[in-house]
Amino acid sequence: MSLSVQFFSLLAMIGTGITAGIVLDLFGTIVAGCDKRSFTRRWAFWFECLIWIMLGIMSFWVLMMVRDGAWRMYDPVAQVSGLLLYAAIFHYPVRFVGRLLLLVVLRPIWLIIRLVYLTIQRIFSVIVSILSFITSPFLRLVKNIGKFLQNKCRVLYNRVQ
């Protein structure tokens, strides 16, 4: 294995460490933003275990792509170095980009989805109101006929007895 391949694989393992830091930081932010009784908060431990397993699979996949799965002793050191590098240098820029994406991309999309939902809900509400207004005289008529027939039956029943 040449020195350039080893250096590239070292950079790839540092990259997986940085990626793991980003994913775990994102998960921690999501859990911190959830309500204490939410499903995500209650099952956070198991979700984090699943995330660690997925990160391990991703790291091995990177090893398969870079070195055909050959594991070296410096790989865990490179991954821990990537985690520490994320915590020391990339934490604030990634958080800034995340907030920027949230404000510029996700919130407008969420606003559009909510507006469409509320518009459809309002249209259905108006349709139901119009239909109830149109059918209310008929419903009152049926109700009054029912009361009339009930009273008529009582009168007839009292006469028979």
Side-chain angles (χ1 to χ4, degrees), residues 142-159:
V142 168
K143 188 177 179 182
N144 289 337
I145 289 173
K147 284 182 183 179
F148 174 75
L149 291 177
Q150 242 180 357
N151 290 337
K152 198 69 159 167
C153 287
R154 275 194 203 124
V155 170
L156 290 175
Y157 179 74
N158 289 335
R159 281 189 189 171

Side-chain angles (χ1 to χ4, degrees), residues 6-25 51-67 70-72 74-87 90:
Q6 285 184 349
F7 182 69
F8 179 68
S9 64
L10 177 71
L11 288 179
M13 287 294 104
I14 290 174
T16 60
I18 292 171
T19 304
I22 291 170
V23 169
L24 291 172
D25 189 31
I51 287 172
W52 276 105
I53 290 169
M54 292 303 198
L55 288 171
I57 290 170
M58 182 206 60
S59 296
F60 187 72
W61 180 73
V62 168
L63 276 177
M64 288 296 289
M65 299 304 287
V66 174
R67 284 190 304 215
W71 186 79
R72 301 280 187 254
Y74 59 81
D75 288 339
V77 175
Q79 285 185 316
V80 170
S81 297
L83 280 168
L84 293 174
L85 190 63
Y86 169 74
F90 296 119

Side-chain angles (χ1 to χ4, degrees), residues 101-118:
L101 283 174
L102 181 68
L103 288 173
V104 173
V105 177
L106 294 178
R107 286 209 177 147
I109 289 173
W110 181 245
L111 177 69
I112 290 169
I113 290 171
R114 285 183 57 200
L115 284 174
V116 168
Y117 173 74
L118 289 174

Side-chain angles (χ1 to χ4, degrees), residues 5 7 21 31 36 57 67 70 77 98 121-122 128 139 161:
V5 172
F7 182 69
V31 170
K36 291 187 189 281
I57 290 170
R67 284 190 304 215
V77 175
Q121 185 180 19
R122 186 63 54 126
V128 167
L139 291 176
Q161 287 183 353

Side-chain angles (χ1 to χ4, degrees), residues 90-102:
F90 296 119
H91 176 75
Y92 294 111
V94 168
R95 284 275 179 112
F96 175 73
V97 169
R99 282 192 297 270
L100 194 65
L101 283 174
L102 181 68

